[in-house]
Amino acid sequence: MKLSERLKRWDVLYFFLTNNKFKIGIGILLFFILLSVIGPFFVRYTPYEYAGAQASPPTFDHPLGTSPFGYDLYSQLIVALDGTWLVGLIGGGVATMIGLLIGFFAGYKGGFWDELLMMLTNILLVIPTIALLVIIASFLNSRSVVLESVIIGLTGWPWVARAVRAQTLSLKSREFVNLSKISGAGTLKIIMEDIAPNMLSYVFMVFILQFGGSILAIVGLSFIGLGPTNSVSLGGILQDSVLWNALILGYWWWMIPPGIVITFMVASLYFINMAMDEAFNPRLRST
Amino acid sequence: MKKYLTRKIIIYLITFFIAASLDWAIPRLMPGNPVSLIVSRFAQASSGSASQASLVTKQMFDYFMQAFQLNIPWWEQYALFWRNIFTGNLGISMYLYPEPVINIILSAVPYDILFLLPSILLSFWVGNRIGAWAARSKKADNILLPTFYILTSVPYFWLGILLVWIFGTLLRVLPMSGAFSYSMTPSFTFAFIFDYLKHWILPFLSLFIVSLGGWAIGMRNMIIYELESNYSRYMGSLGASQRLIRKYSYRNAILPQVTGLALQLGTIVAGAITTEIVFSYPGIGYILFEGIMNKDYPLIQGCFLFIIVGVLLANFVIDILYMFIDPRVRIAYTEG
């Protein structure tokens, strides 16, 4: 039992290391992590500091060019990158935690609590997150990155709750759980020893998806003018570029790089998620 | 069938009740008073001695508190709020004063319908088809699946920016913003419709392309599960052609996808709002943006209500459709 379990773990690890999607995903992710670790050493201006040449295309001095106000866009991008990680971690974390608690409780308890919690979850699922975020954020005068991440997490949990509940329901009726129950194990012991280990990989995958989802949410929110008020954000840079006619004037260096960063950051997370899905669900493997 | 629909209608009414209550409650729960904010903006603009300014500020504050009916007890405010909803009174816009919010929003609705319906339906249909085709065909899958994942990671509006940059700025073949040229007036003439379509195609494409990826991924995974299921294996062992088996798999796999369509509407709405901003497309998203930029709270709250109503109606239509495509739902509620 022990040995086969260990072998199975190695099998999954082996699958990860030979899976191209995993390699590409983790490669892109590492690149962005490196960028936000090493990048700040090359930042010579604060985000809203007059850096010289106005609206200049990328040069040696300004690797990503400057905006018409003379802000160095590389500096803005690197600072915004930190905020983006924070939103992903906190937003994804909060959504996963709440969803995990509610979904698990509903699935494990069943009956009345299940009905009630799932009705609440389904109602919140129907209400568009963006509408809720807009109505909350537009009435806040000062918005910090952390506060916005928490709000995004608070609106993102229904997806997690549904997924976790479904998983709990299927695990709850397995033989090994029944066996523990017959052996007289307490609820907490069953949860910790039988259910949690089987759900861990699943929950981690949900967290990765929420991480990406939170990033996309903050980008959209910043773009419609409700981003963090105390720092630059990737969506904020894009909003500036559209509001100040970068499109008509053809300042491609202002609007293209932030989008590429967002797209590939989120895509790398999805790639890792896809590889994990294939590792744990061999049926989905395409090869 | 009646039972199924009544159940759904009740759930949607509860949802609307909760959402509308949030629309009423959130602004009141937030720290700070929107009225003081408006007044402070006026106070900054006005000049004069300090005591005079403070008197003016005080009077303005009282005036606005009364105008927005914030000086009466909260339960009366709440009752009034519901009465206003049922009489279609969503307040007066502050930014486009004295235009009623409801008129501003209603003028945007036709653009939204003509923009959203085709992009949602077409991306759903095309995405499902491509996804079903990619499933279990090794070559196509290895190229298409990563492509789909990259597509779903693109922020809708950024694809819009990219498209405008390519087709508007670089190639100069398509207009960059608006729903029609300034020189045109909306009418049912060939020239206007052609002009409208020219403005419509880029926003349509940005929504269409991004949502396509998600549908394709979902369908691809569903088809793989269906092809592994017992009925497919049984059909295979009877000698049914791959084509026939796939046809049956598709019919089973489309059901969860339709449910997914209802759940994804929220994300699509978010995409539509941001895309409309890029194109200055006069839908609700763009109006909401103007409301946010000008701190026009009645307009923001009105847009919120309209988005909720739209999403709920769409959900209801999908529920009815689902009843027709899934015989199990139909039978369970008519015979049981």
Side-chain angles (χ1 to χ4, degrees), chain A residues 123 126-127 131 135-136 138-139 141 219 223-224 239 247 252 255-256 259 263 267 270 274 281 283-284 286, chain B residues 23 27 30 37 136 141-142 145 149 153 157-158 162 165 169 220 224-225 228 277 293 297 304 311-312:
Chain A
I123 284 175
V126 174
I127 301 175
I135 202 88
I136 297 173
S138 60
F139 283 93
N141 282 327
V219 166
F223 186 71
I224 56 180
Q239 194 213 13
L247 276 168
W252 56 268
M255 55 206 182
I256 302 299
T263 302
Y270 287 171
M274 174 169 52
N281 279 334
R283 284 200 291 182
L284 287 177
S286 51
Chain B
D23 189 31
M30 287 296 155
L37 202 81
R136 281 279 179 263
D141 199 36
N142 273 334
L145 193 60
Y149 270 102
S153 314
F157 66 89
W158 186 67
L162 211 59
W165 181 56
T169 315
R220 178 247 181 204
I224 287 178
Y225 279 120
E228 301 264 321
I277 297 171
M293 285 284 115
Y297 296 112
F304 176 89
V311 169
L312 287 182

Side-chain angles (χ1 to χ4, degrees), chain A residues 241-242 244-251 255, chain B residues 160-166 168-169 176 278-279:
Chain A
S241 78
V242 168
W244 298 100
N245 295 325
L247 276 168
I248 296 165
L249 300 167
Y251 298 154
M255 55 206 182
Chain B
I161 292 179
L162 211 59
L163 289 174
V164 175
W165 181 56
I166 294 171
T169 315
M176 300 169 75
V278 172
F279 292 94

Side-chain angles (χ1 to χ4, degrees), chain B:
Chain B
M1 203 185 306
K2 214 173 159 187
K3 204 172 146 193
Y4 171 77
L5 286 182
T6 2
R7 196 185 140 85
K8 289 286 177 189
I9 289 174
I10 290 172
I11 296 261
Y12 289 136
L13 285 179
I14 296 175
T15 310
F16 180 71
F17 175 76
I18 292 181
S21 301
L22 283 175
D23 189 31
W24 176 83
I26 289 174
R28 286 169 174 79
L29 290 175
M30 287 296 155
N33 186 338
V35 172
S36 352
L37 202 81
I38 303 166
V39 172
S40 73
R41 270 200 299 172
F42 279 111
Q44 275 163 13
S46 71
S47 55
S49 71
S51 62
Q52 199 185 349
S54 77
L55 188 72
V56 171
T57 316
K58 174 81 179 65
Q59 273 176 348
M60 261 174 111
F61 184 82
D62 291 341
Y63 171 74
F64 275 113
M65 287 300 274
Q66 200 174 6
F68 292 113
Q69 283 151 333
L70 289 169
N71 50 356
I72 54 176
W74 67 266
W75 61 86
E76 280 179 37
Q77 290 182 33
Y78 189 58
L80 203 68
F81 168 77
W82 277 104
R83 207 186 74 197
N84 285 341
I85 286 185
F86 286 119
T87 50
N89 174 8
L90 298 178
I92 307 265
S93 162
M94 290 144 85
Y95 160 62
L96 295 166
Y97 193 86
E99 192 73 14
V101 168
I102 185 100
N103 291 358
I104 302 174
I105 294 177
L106 283 180
S107 71
V109 168
Y111 294 107
D112 270 312
I113 292 175
L114 288 174
F115 162 48
L116 281 170
L117 266 188
S119 38
I120 293 175
L121 294 179
L122 274 174
S123 71
F124 183 74
W125 187 69
V126 175
N128 278 322
R129 285 284 158 185
I130 300 182
W133 178 68
R136 281 279 179 263
S137 52
K138 204 174 154 186
K139 258 188 193 156
D141 199 36
N142 273 334
I143 301 167
L144 285 178
L145 193 60
T147 316
F148 296 148
Y149 270 102
I150 291 176
L151 282 185
T152 41
S153 314
V154 179
Y156 287 89
F157 66 89
W158 186 67
L159 188 70
I161 292 179
L162 211 59
L163 289 174
V164 175
W165 181 56
I166 294 171
F167 292 102
T169 315
L170 291 183
L171 301 175
R172 294 181 181 282
V173 286
L174 287 170
M176 300 169 75
S177 65
F180 48 83
S181 305
Y182 287 117
S183 54
M184 296 269 181
T185 41
S187 58
F188 274 105
T189 56
F190 180 74
F192 177 76
I193 292 173
F194 181 70
D195 186 62
Y196 173 83
L197 284 177
K198 252 170 69 179
H199 284 80
W200 170 85
I201 185 79
L202 286 184
F204 162 78
L205 276 180
S206 37
L207 213 58
F208 172 78
I209 295 174
V210 176
S211 26
L212 186 117
W215 301 126
I217 296 166
M219 189 43 127
R220 178 247 181 204
N221 290 351
M222 288 309 302
I223 288 276
I224 287 178
Y225 279 120
E226 292 296 333
L227 287 178
E228 301 264 321
S229 68
N230 287 331
Y231 74 87
S232 296
R233 289 180 198 279
Y234 179 64
M235 280 174 78
S237 67
L238 287 179
S241 69
Q242 268 298 309
R243 215 182 124 79
L244 188 68
I245 298 176
R246 274 177 175 270
K247 205 178 141 194
Y248 279 105
S249 303
Y250 186 81
R251 291 181 60 171
N252 274 303
I254 199 79
L255 296 176
Q257 289 288 89
V258 171
T259 318
L261 179 61
L263 294 176
Q264 281 299 320
L265 282 176
T267 324
I268 299 172
V269 165
I273 291 173
T274 48
T275 309
E276 282 175 10
I277 297 171
V278 172
F279 292 94
S280 310
Y281 204 79
I284 287 189
Y286 188 64
I287 287 180
L288 179 66
F289 178 64
E290 288 194 318
I292 291 168
M293 285 284 115
N294 297 292
K295 292 209 186 292
D296 187 344
Y297 296 112
L299 195 57
I300 298 174
Q301 283 174 289
C303 288
F304 176 89
L305 271 186
F306 252 77
I307 292 172
I308 302 286
V309 170
V311 169
L312 287 182
L313 281 178
N315 264 279
F316 187 59
V317 171
I318 292 173
D319 280 332
I320 294 175
L321 274 178
Y322 197 83
M323 204 167 66
F324 283 106
I325 59 171
D326 189 350
R328 284 169 300 187
V329 174
R330 211 166 50 220
I331 290 165
Y333 279 93
T334 45
E335 291 176 3

